[in-house]
Amino acid sequence: MMVGDEQSVALVLNRLRRAHGQLAGVIGMIEDGRDCKDVVTQLAAVSRALDRAGFKIVASGLRECMTGEGDGDGEPMTEEQLEKLFLALA
């Protein structure tokens, strides 16, 4: 389960719902044969929305990840594990 307070979780869910809607729009644009420039512009917006959601998840859960409170096994994450988590969003 995602860590963080209720407000952080709500923000992430809103961002993901927005990205979901944007992605559906991109699919529709491709199916309709829309201009490549328009499709790529919207696809970039989807990518940014997903990145923001991912960073929000990491930021809101960083304290719990570092102390081991939010990862389910009670063990703090190592610096290498935290780095890998961040780089997964890059």
Side-chain angles (χ1 to χ4, degrees), residues 8-42:
S8 294
V9 171
L11 287 172
V12 168
L13 288 173
N14 285 339
R15 287 177 181 176
L16 290 174
R17 287 184 182 109
R18 186 176 307 124
H20 184 263
Q22 288 172 318
L23 184 57
V26 170
I27 292 168
M29 292 171 74
I30 292 170
E31 291 173 341
D32 294 343
R34 295 279 300 272
D35 182 66
C36 178
K37 181 181 174 187
D38 294 337
V39 171
V40 170
T41 299
Q42 286 303 310

Side-chain angles (χ1 to χ4, degrees), residues 2 6 11 13 17-18 22 24-27 38 41 50 58 60-61 64 67 73 75 81 83 89:
M2 190 185 125
E6 288 182 27
L11 287 172
L13 288 173
R17 287 184 182 109
R18 186 176 307 124
Q22 288 172 318
V26 170
I27 292 168
D38 294 337
T41 299
L50 291 173
V58 171
S60 66
E64 289 86 354
T67 62
D73 67 5
E75 293 294 320
Q81 290 171 315
E83 182 179 350
L89 295 171

Side-chain angles (χ1 to χ4, degrees), residues 3 60-79 81-82:
V3 293
S60 66
L62 184 58
R63 182 173 25 86
E64 289 86 354
C65 288
M66 290 177 65
T67 62
E69 295 172 9
D71 63 2
D73 67 5
E75 293 294 320
M77 290 183 76
T78 66
E79 185 175 330
Q81 290 171 315
L82 287 170

Side-chain angles (χ1 to χ4, degrees), residues 37 43 70 72 76 87:
K37 181 181 174 187
L43 195 55
L87 290 176

